[in-house]
Amino acid sequence: MIVDDQELLRRGLAMVIDSQPDLELVAEAGDGQEALDVLASRAVDVVVMDVRMPRMDGVRATAQIQKLSRPPRVLVLTTFDLDEHALGALRAGASGFLLKDAPGEEIIAAIRHVHAGDAIIAPATTRRLVAQLVDQRETDPTAVLQMLTEREQEVFGELARGASNAEIGARLYLSETTVKTHVGRILTKLRLRDRVQAVVLAYESGVVRPGSR
């Protein structure tokens, strides 16, 4: 489902989505409240959500979507490259954040990744977002790490830096299946929904610091 108050943008994105054999546009909405009304009666896997809209903005709508019994994943797509929107959307439960000027193929790839449970954060936003997370740090890193085994801590660190399962496996000499198992256990132990929340927690707690590799 596409949620945006600009009909022209919805039409353009709809054409891109409908051109893909594995994607189907099943609904549109002009604001967050309309999106919630649609979701009350229609099953959707991924919502592509604008941030600034009348009646209910994308951040509030994303937070409300998370309260549904089977919430779809939310990919926030906006023209506003501002930290508070990125951070607000991610904290509200979005699985990804991209700018509207991203190429069509990048947006399509992001929809697929979000559907698969991966995290998507616009590269142009990441550095400023991380800096803000560090400034607002509230979580004790020791408390976070104490919940994980030594190997899980290593995987968590790589996960927070945006590494894929294959990259984590190569760096830690683990199979992708083993990495996937570790990631699942980490998300369960830390009560995180997905990899985006893992990134946010890692920087909020100071487990990973800006510029670390």
Side-chain angles (χ1 to χ4, degrees):
M1 178 166 68
I2 301 171
V3 185
D4 196 295
D5 61 334
Q6 298 181 35
E7 183 177 359
L8 184 60
L9 187 141
R10 294 202 309 269
R11 290 291 83 217
L13 187 54
M15 291 177 61
V16 174
I17 290 174
D18 285 338
S19 70
Q20 304 300 308
D22 59 331
L23 301 179
E24 179 185 3
L25 180 63
V26 296
E28 295 183 28
D31 58 59
Q33 183 58 59
E34 185 179 354
L36 292 174
D37 294 341
V38 171
L39 288 172
S41 60
R42 185 169 300 178
V44 173
D45 294 318
V46 177
V47 176
V48 180
M49 180 81 73
D50 188 19
V51 171
R52 293 191 178 186
M53 296 179 292
R55 290 209 297 171
M56 183 182 291
D57 62 37
V59 176
R60 289 177 56 204
T62 298
Q64 291 299 313
I65 286 174
Q66 304 312 309
K67 298 178 182 180
L68 300 176
S69 58
R70 298 185 64 182
R73 295 188 176 275
V74 177
L75 172 64
V76 172
L77 197 63
T78 180
T79 54
F80 299 98
D81 184 13
L82 300 176
D83 295 336
E84 61 266 27
H85 295 127
L87 185 55
L90 296 179
R91 282 181 165 155
S95 295
F97 182 95
L98 278 182
L99 302 181
K100 286 181 179 178
D101 61 3
E105 59 268 22
E106 186 175 329
I107 295 174
I108 291 300
I111 292 173
R112 294 190 178 108
H113 281 301
V114 165
H115 179 258
D118 293 333
I120 299 294
I121 302 178
T125 306
T126 303
R127 185 173 61 182
R128 292 184 300 279
L129 176 61
V130 166
Q132 185 173 355
L133 288 171
V134 171
D135 290 341
Q136 298 178 358
R137 184 181 304 152
E138 298 177 354
T139 309
D140 179 5
T142 304
V144 173
L145 294 177
Q146 284 179 343
M147 301 177 68
L148 306 176
T149 66
E150 184 175 349
R151 177 59 87 181
E152 287 169 350
Q153 290 177 25
E154 293 176 337
V155 174
F156 182 49
E158 296 296 335
L159 175 67
R161 295 180 182 92
S164 66
N165 286 352
E167 291 170 336
I168 295 173
R171 293 172 187 172
L172 300 181
Y173 303 101
L174 299 171
S175 69
E176 285 192 54
T177 300
T178 300
V179 172
K180 186 175 181 179
T181 298
H182 282 307
V183 171
R185 288 173 179 169
I186 289 167
L187 297 181
T188 299
K189 286 183 177 181
L190 300 182
R191 298 183 179 181
L192 302 173
R193 186 191 66 254
D194 54 28
R195 298 167 87 104
V196 163
Q197 290 193 338
V199 172
V200 172
L201 177 62
Y203 282 103
E204 281 182 328
S205 64
V207 170
V208 175
R209 300 178 183 279
S212 60
R213 296 184 179 276

